[in-house]
Each structure stands twice: as structure tokens, then as C-alpha cells.
Amino acid sequence: MTSQNLNLTIDELTVKNFATFDDQTIRFNDGFNAIIGETGSGKSLILDALQLILGQRADKKLIRKDCEFAVVEASFTTADQNMKLYFDKIGFPIDDNQVVIKRVLYRTGKTKSFLNYQNCSLSTLTDFSRQYIDLVGQFENQKLLSEDYQIQLVDSFAGNHRLYKEFKKAFTNLSTARTKLNNAISNNQERSQKLDYINFQIEELEKLNPSQLREGELIQAKAEFQNFETDKQDIALLNNIFEGENSGNGIISQLSSIERVLNNRIIDQDSINAFTQAQEILNDINYKLNKSLDSEFDEEEYENVLNELDLYQRLKRKFGVETQGLVELFNEFKLQRDELQNIEDKISELQASVVTLTKQARELAEHLHTKRCEYATKLSKLLTKEVQALNMKGATISIELKERVELSASGLSEIAFMAETNPGEGFYKVKDIASGGELSRILLSLRKVLSAKDSISIFLFDEIDTGIGGETAQKVGQVLRDVADDSQVIAITHLPQIAIFADKLVMVSKEVVQKEKAKRTVSVVKELTGNDLQTE
């Protein structure tokens, strides 16, 4: 049988150096695939490998003895545009409708994960599998007992995805507004103390009015002050050269003597003019040098520069930031001061927002609850029919919904999956009365009802035949075949009554082979389809 309109199918799984598997490739079709084999043959290892592909943490014990690493790789096919957009969004685009996942386990305990030939995290694989693949086993049976999971099932059956998404957004906005309101009220209660603290920080920073430009100017000024004495000594030396010391034989005096001689026209007039210009330049330099000698070291200004620079360093140490950080802190403190000074207006504004958002969220939750109640009744009848068909004769399933007083993340609905396993004995919560086998059948019934509506495309069933046999097993096999009409099904079973309904059998057995000088046990796979199923 070929399933129609599947969003995603797993085509093949390759395992190398994986427990008792040496190197095997298992191919699946898009209908009902049954994995069979004797106890201990390794059929459960196939499910272990698939779970690794879906993001389960690895155990190095799964690496085959005497091997340094194990490899598990799976390829999927999808032509669904929404799924392609999903992979584009998370940064792992699909090539030729193929999704490829690979896990490598090393003896050292290190692992590597790849999605579409790129390194990825385990959480990426987990997020993908949660949306499109469902594992039904002992752990999943326990999920059925979770109220959140039960509500998800009803919403899936009712087609509430869009409505629930609208409610979730409204509830998130409401939660955010409530948090802001509570913080504002808390801040208001501590307003005086906080304002005192913030004003103190502002006053301290205000004295400095931090600026990277100003700090640079101060550093330059400090350097100039520290060079003042050295510069003054150099100027005095130059001045002595120009003025001469007590003998008066400096450059200026000598230039005057040269000028008198030149005026006797020993050389041409142009040269005399050039000398006169040079003399004027040197006299100007001499004037400026004399003026510099008259300047005094400003001790008070120098002290102010040092004090301001010290304040920069002290505040940078105090707040653990550089100068730009001080600027940002200064602005942030002023912003906080303004918010605290206007906090009563803010509280009123937030209170009004909470009222509006509560009304919006509550209206959506009430609409959601009404739809849940309507479809819970329909789902109860369908589940009752399905579990009775699975030899839970006389059993009745009732999904009860009550309206909460307060909003929660799931809305206003309080849910309970109830069952009466024997007529007239009364209804009790499923978790209080159902055995493991009964839970599996209830969950299988849910899968049959929801498979055409759910986003899940691949169902992996583990231990679905626990505690059953005979006619019940045959009916379970028929239901698995029905689920495969809309989804790909892979199930591990040891019951021929179930396996007979499969479109493909994956038979796992153990063989002893000669490996170099020693004999080794290996698990091998034989695939059976079509007429091979009948002859086997």
C-alpha cells in the first residue's frame, strides 16, 4: 500500500559499527513497515538508531566492539513547500527534496551531528523531529497522562492551530504587561530609596560630565604641564644664544655689527635687503623666546587637571567601564530617574493595558474552550469506537473539560481523559486504571483518529504489542495499516498477527561470521515486500 499526500517519509537508514550491526542499509517504503526478528536479534537497535537521528543523546556503548566510531545516517524525502521554508528559516536548506541527517559517535564520548551536510546541534534535530515524527512507546504512553499533551491532542483534532496561536500571542503579551506592571509597582514601593541612589550616581557623574574628547584634552594638558620646566630650560639656552650672556656677544648683537658693516655697501643692495629680512625674522623669534621666559607655571591649573583625570579613573574603576561606558551609564541613570519620577503615570498606563489585554486573551480562551468542548465530545465517541475495535470491549472513553477561573498558558480549559473499562463501574482518570497495554491501544486509537489531521508524517511504534495477542493483535495490525493510509508507519513487533498487515517487512537476524582471525556476531537485515511477504 502506498500512502498519499505525505509531507515527509524516511527512505533509508544506514548503520555502521553500530552495536551488532557491521554495515547495513535498511530501506523503508511510505506505507506500513514492520521490523521483525527473534528476541536479541537487533531489531530494537534499528529504533535506537532512528532515535539518535531524531536528537536523542548518544551512548558510546552503542559503538561496535574494537571500533573507534559508529555512524548512523538517514535520508528523508519531502516535496512540501512549508517544510522547505522551515529548513530555509533554520539555515539548513533542502537540496532535491532530500533531508539528510547523520550522527557520528566516537569512542572518546565525542559526537558530531549533521543536517543536510552541515554541522548542527542536537536541539535542531529535536525541534525537527517533534514537528514531523512521533515515537509511540512506553515513554510516549506516559505523555498521554499529561494534561498539556491531552489538550494538544484535542486542539489537533479540532483544528485549533490558528486560534490557539492567536491566544498564545495574546497571553504572551498579557504576561509581559503583567510583569512590567509588577516591576513598576515594586519600583514605586522602593521609589524613594532608588531615587536617592540614582540621584547620588547622577551627581557624581554630573561633576565630571564624562566625555572621551574632554579626557583626551586633559591628558594632553597634563603632558604639556609636565614638559613645562624642560621646555623653559631649552628656551633659556636659546635665549642666551640670541642675547649672549654677560659678554653681550649673542646672535642679536653680532647681527647689529654685521648690519653696520653691510651698510658701507661692501656687497650689493639685494644681499643687504635679504640680510635685513633674516635679521627681522631672528629678532621676532628672539622676542617670542623672551615672552615665553616671562610665563609662569600655573600650579592651580595643573592641580585641577590632575584632579579631573583622577576622577575619571576613580569612576571607571567604580563602575568597571571605560570612558564611553561612563557616558552611557550617565544617560541610563538619567533615564531611570525620569522613569521613577513618572512611575505613577506609568503604573496607570500599564494597569489599563493589562485590563485590555486580559479581555482580549480571555475572549480568545473562551472561544477556544467552546471549540474544545465541542470536539472533545466528538473525539470521545470516535476513541470509544476505536478502543472497542481493539478488543477493549465495553470500554468507554470520555474527555471531560471544565472551565478554569483563571487564565493559564493553555487557556481556560481543565482537561481529564476518563475511561470506564467495564460498563457500570464508573469513569476514572485513564492514568489511574489503564494498564500499559491499554494505554498503548488508547494512544494507537488517537493516532488513527488524528493521523489525517496532524502535522506528524512518520510514526515510530515501539512495544505496541505489549501484553496482547491473538485477535487483539490482529486488530492492532489493521489499525496500524489504517494509520499508514495517511502517514508512514514503522513498527517493531514480534507478533505475526500484526506483521501480516505490513507493506514491507524488515527481518533482523543474527549471524556468526569469520572476521580476520576471530568469529564475530553480526546483525543482518533482509527486506521483504509484495509476494515475498506471503512466502515468508
Side-chain angles (χ1 to χ4, degrees):
M1 179 184 293
T2 301
S3 303
Q4 302 298 319
N5 302 320
L6 293 181
N7 292 333
L8 181 76
T9 56
I10 179 169
D11 299 322
E12 63 180 35
L13 173 71
T14 299
V15 286
K16 294 181 181 179
N17 306 331
F18 189 76
T20 52
F21 284 101
D22 188 8
D23 186 355
Q24 291 279 296
T25 297
I26 305 133
R27 296 170 183 82
F28 302 99
N29 68 14
D30 54 7
F32 175 18
N33 302 264
I35 301 172
I36 62 173
E38 297 293 332
T39 301
S41 62
K43 60 182 183 295
S44 292
L45 289 171
I46 296 176
L47 197 65
D48 290 338
L50 286 170
Q51 289 184 75
L52 284 176
I53 290 297
L54 304 182
Q56 180 174 287
R57 292 197 173 277
D59 185 346
K60 64 181 180 181
K61 292 179 182 177
L62 291 170
I63 301 173
R64 188 164 170 75
K65 183 181 177 183
D66 299 329
C67 295
E68 291 302 314
F69 64 90
V71 178
V72 179
E73 183 171 344
S75 62
F76 303 78
T77 296
T78 181
D80 185 79
Q81 290 303 316
N82 288 329
M83 197 176 298
K84 289 181 178 181
L85 288 173
Y86 166 79
F87 282 107
D88 286 343
K89 184 177 180 181
I90 64 174
F92 295 89
I94 293 175
D95 185 24
D96 293 332
N97 295 338
Q98 290 291 308
V99 177
V100 181
I101 300 176
K102 182 177 179 180
R103 296 285 305 276
V104 184
L105 289 60
Y106 295 94
R107 182 70 64 184
T108 59
K110 182 181 178 182
T111 66
K112 290 183 179 179
S113 304
F114 302 88
L115 174 57
N116 296 334
Y117 307 104
Q118 298 183 65
N119 280 306
C120 72
S121 65
L122 284 186
S123 61
T124 300
L125 299 182
T126 303
D127 291 343
F128 157 66
S129 64
R130 281 176 179 168
Q131 291 197 58
Y132 302 109
I133 303 170
D134 200 15
L135 171 63
V136 181
Q138 285 187 343
F139 174 73
E140 291 298 310
N141 289 355
Q142 297 305 310
K143 278 175 63 176
L144 179 59
L145 308 181
S146 159
E147 184 174 322
D148 287 341
Y149 187 62
Q150 291 169 358
I151 286 180
Q152 287 176 30
L153 291 172
V154 173
D155 280 342
S156 180
F157 179 70
N160 285 340
H161 176 72
R162 181 174 296 178
L163 179 57
Y164 178 72
K165 191 174 181 180
E166 289 178 17
F167 164 74
K168 196 71 176 176
K169 181 179 179 181
F171 185 78
T172 300
N173 291 339
L174 173 59
S175 299
T176 301
R178 281 175 172 169
T179 300
K180 288 181 178 179
L181 176 59
N182 290 334
N183 288 340
I185 292 172
S186 176
N187 286 339
N188 193 37
Q189 291 170 347
E190 302 168 4
R191 178 185 174 193
S192 177
Q193 183 178 353
K194 285 188 174 182
L195 264 177
D196 287 344
Y197 168 78
I198 289 172
N199 282 329
F200 176 77
Q201 308 305 325
I202 289 174
E203 286 173 11
E204 195 168 25
L205 287 165
E206 217 161 25
K207 292 176 184 176
L208 186 63
N209 193 17
S211 158
Q212 288 179 305
L213 178 61
R214 173 59 180 163
E215 186 182 31
E217 292 172 347
L218 290 168
I219 292 170
Q220 179 64 31
K222 178 183 175 182
E224 290 175 359
F225 273 115
Q226 289 175 336
N227 293 329
F228 182 85
E229 288 299 329
T230 301
D231 291 346
K232 198 161 187 176
Q233 290 174 6
D234 291 340
I235 290 169
L237 178 62
L238 287 172
N239 190 63
N240 286 337
I241 294 172
F242 274 96
E243 297 281 346
E245 296 184 25
N246 297 328
S247 60
N249 59 349
I251 292 174
I252 299 301
S253 176
Q254 293 178 28
L255 287 174
S256 298
S257 300
I258 294 171
E259 182 183 14
R260 286 193 298 273
V261 174
L262 290 178
N263 283 333
N264 292 327
R265 298 184 181 274
I266 294 174
I267 59 176
D268 61 87
Q269 187 60 44
D270 288 340
S271 296
I272 293 173
N273 292 338
F275 175 79
T276 302
Q277 289 177 359
Q279 187 181 21
E280 290 175 353
I281 291 171
L282 290 172
N283 280 324
D284 184 54
I285 292 173
N286 184 46
Y287 170 78
K288 290 178 178 177
L289 287 172
N290 279 311
K291 190 173 182 181
S292 296
L293 281 173
D294 294 335
S295 63
E296 296 292 334
F297 187 86
D298 192 333
E299 291 282 356
E300 184 178 353
E301 180 61 23
Y302 181 52
E303 195 67 27
N304 289 338
V305 168
L306 292 179
N307 288 338
E308 194 169 347
L309 281 173
D310 181 65
L311 185 55
Y312 268 97
Q313 295 306 313
R314 185 163 59 82
L315 290 178
K316 284 194 283 188
R317 285 194 302 270
K318 175 181 176 178
F319 293 109
V321 295
E322 293 303 315
T323 304
Q324 183 56 34
L326 291 179
V327 175
E328 292 168 1
L329 273 174
F330 190 28
N331 293 329
E332 178 63 25
F333 281 132
K334 288 189 285 188
L335 183 63
Q336 289 180 21
R337 179 185 61 188
D338 293 342
E339 287 179 352
L340 284 171
Q341 288 173 341
N342 300 312
I343 199 166
E344 291 180 355
D345 291 339
K346 186 68 174 177
I347 288 173
S348 297
E349 180 185 325
L350 286 169
Q351 285 173 331
S353 177
V354 166
V355 170
T356 301
L357 291 171
T358 299
K359 183 180 178 183
Q360 291 174 356
R362 196 168 190 89
E363 285 176 355
L364 288 167
E366 287 172 351
H367 184 26
L368 195 58
H369 180 71
T370 300
K371 283 198 69 177
R372 285 169 175 169
C373 290
E374 176 189 349
Y375 280 88
T377 301
K378 295 178 181 179
L379 183 56
S380 297
K381 291 178 180 178
L382 284 173
L383 285 177
T384 297
K385 179 182 176 181
E386 293 297 332
V387 297
Q388 288 180 357
L390 290 174
N391 269 14
M392 290 178 66
K393 295 176 181 177
T396 304
I397 305 296
S398 176
I399 302 172
E400 296 183 0
L401 284 162
K402 295 179 181 178
E403 187 171 339
R404 299 176 186 270
V405 176
E406 296 294 331
L407 276 171
S408 71
S410 59
L412 288 168
S413 305
E414 184 176 319
I415 194 169
F417 266 48
M418 309 293 287
E420 184 180 54
T421 53
N422 297 299
E425 296 300 314
F427 284 86
Y428 298 90
K429 288 185 177 181
V430 169
K431 67 178 182 179
D432 295 331
I433 60 169
S435 66
E438 288 172 333
L439 276 175
S440 293
R441 277 178 275 173
I442 293 171
L443 195 57
L444 179 57
S445 300
L446 277 166
R447 286 291 166 253
K448 181 180 177 182
V449 172
L450 298 176
S451 59
K453 294 174 175 285
D454 214 348
S455 66
I456 301 296
S457 295
I458 302 172
F459 290 104
L460 308 176
F461 290 92
D462 182 26
E463 302 179 1
I464 196 67
D465 52 14
T466 300
I468 63 172
E471 183 185 356
T472 302
Q474 190 172 10
K475 290 180 178 181
V476 166
Q478 181 62 62
V479 173
L480 287 171
R481 180 71 170 262
D482 292 342
V483 172
D485 286 340
D486 297 292
S487 308
Q488 184 183 36
V489 172
I490 300 172
I492 292 177
T493 182
H494 64 279
L495 298 179
Q497 297 96 323
I498 292 177
I500 197 172
F501 288 95
D503 301 303
K504 182 171 188 174
L505 284 181
V506 177
M507 182 180 293
V508 185
S509 59
K510 277 186 178 177
E511 296 179 359
V512 177
V513 297
Q514 187 72 33
K515 288 283 186 179
E516 296 178 352
K517 296 181 180 181
K519 292 183 177 181
R520 295 292 302 273
T521 300
V522 296
S523 293
V524 294
V525 171
K526 182 180 180 182
E527 299 168 12
L528 306 173
T529 57
N531 294 330
D532 294 337
L533 294 175
Q534 304 302 323
T535 58
E536 190 67 27

